Amino acid sequence: MKKYCSIFFVLISLHSFAQINVVPMPAEVKMGKGNFVLDQKTTAIYYTDNSTKPICMELNNSLKKMFDISLPIIKINKDKVSSLKTNNITLILFPNLVTSDYKSGGYAINVTEKNIRVITGENEGIFHGIQTLLQLITKNTKQPNTKQQTPNIYTIPQLRINDYPRFSYRGMHLDVARHFFSVDYVKKYIDYLATYKYNTFHWHLTEDQGWRIEIKKYPNLTKVGSCRDRTLIGRYGSNKYDSIEYCGFYTQAQIKEIVQYARDRFITVIPEIEMPGHSTAALASYPYLGCTKGPYKTMDTWGVLDDVYCAGNDSTFTFLQNVLDEV
């Protein structure tokens, strides 16, 4: 363990920057001269802690999808890592490797011609490390040191990386209220966030133009509020509409599925439930929530409207409390 702790802290001291195709650029990089060859001869992905196995599986899935390479996944004791044969990838977790120099989500990567080591004190760091690793992989059309054409040879440059988040909050926003996206699309969006080490997904679920989250206590929110009669074509003020009903919402089961999908990628979901304005989809569903009692309709255009939840009615606060409890 002392050996790998020393490797990690040596990497912390690196100050040599290099031009590598990684986004975001790691905090510290020092380049070597050779390459690690990734191919079907690579022996395995090793891991040292049971909690890291799902991340190994995620790495293997990505290798299969991106490069048509699938490797055995094997657990190994930390003390045995140094005895491993060459040409392998090892994810090493030291739960106590948290010091004043170590930041949450940080990791170290050591790539030699013989092996790859990703070292960190928490699985979030392991996950971030493999995102960097995947971006470092380059396809080679020739076997190293020969002129032979080899279509399935991939290389990773020899280097040392010490990386950590410069900002604790790294977030992106997706508005599904005005423009609805499928569960599969949202998962794909989360995959992109994970690739670039974002840790927060701001999910805009309610608006004047649509209510997208199932609230079991108030079924009209999705029965009525998730649909609008038509949608504006072009810029605001064009007064042109498509005359196509536009509907869509997520069930609570789908919401939970997406939240878990994000959690598995170390991303926190922040749900946006608009109030007191941007609420005409809710007012159309339950007109008693507005001061004028309607009639209201889910909006088919953009802009800011005067209709809001009526702050003078106790029932408004009961409704909002019940909605947020379910969210």
Side-chain angles (χ1 to χ4, degrees), residues 71-327:
L71 303 174
I73 297 174
I74 303 172
K75 185 178 180 183
I76 187 170
N77 189 287
K78 294 184 183 73
D79 298 332
K80 303 292 185 180
V81 170
S82 60
S83 66
L84 285 173
K85 295 181 180 180
T86 60
N87 203 358
N88 60 75
I89 302 170
T90 307
L91 310 183
I92 305 170
L93 183 70
F94 287 117
N96 296 323
L97 192 62
V98 179
T99 72
S100 58
D101 295 318
Y102 179 83
K103 297 184 179 181
S104 179
Y107 61 92
I109 295 178
N110 188 27
V111 180
T112 70
E113 291 182 328
K114 295 181 178 181
N115 54 51
I116 296 172
R117 302 285 185 261
V118 181
I119 308 168
T120 184
E122 58 184 3
N123 279 320
E124 182 179 359
I126 291 280
F127 186 83
H128 290 163
I130 69 170
Q131 304 310 310
T132 294
L133 195 61
L134 289 168
Q135 291 189 51
L136 288 168
I137 298 173
T138 301
K139 184 174 182 178
N140 265 24
T141 57
K142 294 182 180 180
Q143 175 74 29
N145 304 319
T146 75
K147 296 182 179 180
Q148 182 181 357
Q149 297 292 319
T150 51
N152 292 317
I153 294 293
Y154 299 91
T155 59
I156 300 169
Q158 182 176 332
L159 50 71
R160 294 179 179 179
I161 288 176
N162 178 57
D163 193 21
Y164 49 84
R166 285 176 292 169
F167 303 96
S168 58
Y169 183 105
R170 304 180 304 284
M172 287 288 287
H173 165 272
L174 184 65
D175 183 350
V176 299
R178 295 182 176 93
H179 302 286
F180 184 73
F181 296 101
S182 68
V183 170
D184 286 343
Y185 184 96
V186 175
K187 287 182 177 180
K188 183 177 181 180
Y189 186 82
I190 291 170
D191 286 338
Y192 280 117
L193 300 189
T195 295
Y196 299 112
K197 304 182 181 71
Y198 288 93
N199 66 353
T200 308
F201 171 36
H202 174 169
W203 201 4
H204 191 153
L205 290 164
T206 72
E207 253 295 342
D208 290 314
Q209 292 79 20
W211 185 283
R212 306 300 182 201
I213 178 172
E214 178 189 26
I215 303 298
K216 293 181 178 180
K217 193 175 185 67
Y218 300 103
N220 277 2
L221 288 173
T222 48
K223 184 178 180 180
V224 176
S226 69
C227 291
R228 58 178 182 257
D229 294 334
R230 58 183 187 173
T231 301
L232 183 73
I233 297 175
R235 296 172 63 94
Y236 173 74
S238 71
N239 292 320
K240 297 179 181 179
Y241 297 87
D242 60 13
S243 301
I244 300 172
E245 186 180 40
Y246 192 98
C247 301
F249 70 93
Y250 307 101
T251 66
Q252 290 194 6
Q254 289 172 324
I255 295 281
K256 290 177 181 179
E257 178 184 345
I258 290 171
V259 169
Q260 185 61 52
Y261 191 85
R263 181 182 291 118
D264 291 342
R265 287 151 184 78
F266 300 92
I267 293 171
T268 298
V269 180
I270 297 179
E272 179 178 349
I273 309 297
E274 290 270 11
M275 64 181 78
H278 299 266
S279 54
T280 51
L283 300 184
S285 305
Y286 295 96
Y288 73 85
L289 295 170
C291 290
T292 68
K293 312 305 180 191
Y296 307 105
K297 70 171 185 175
T298 305
M299 290 305 299
D300 51 20
T301 186
W302 323 124
V304 179
L305 307 175
D306 293 332
D307 292 321
V308 299
Y309 291 116
C310 189
N313 295 336
D314 290 345
S315 57
T316 296
F317 297 95
T318 300
F319 168 82
L320 292 174
Q321 179 175 315
N322 289 335
V323 166
L324 294 180
D325 282 347
E326 286 200 35
V327 173

Side-chain angles (χ1 to χ4, degrees), residues 38-53:
L38 177 67
D39 56 18
Q40 295 296 346
K41 295 180 182 179
T42 303
T43 56
I45 300 171
Y46 292 93
Y47 64 97
T48 62
D49 190 277
N50 287 333
S51 64
T52 305
K53 185 176 181 180

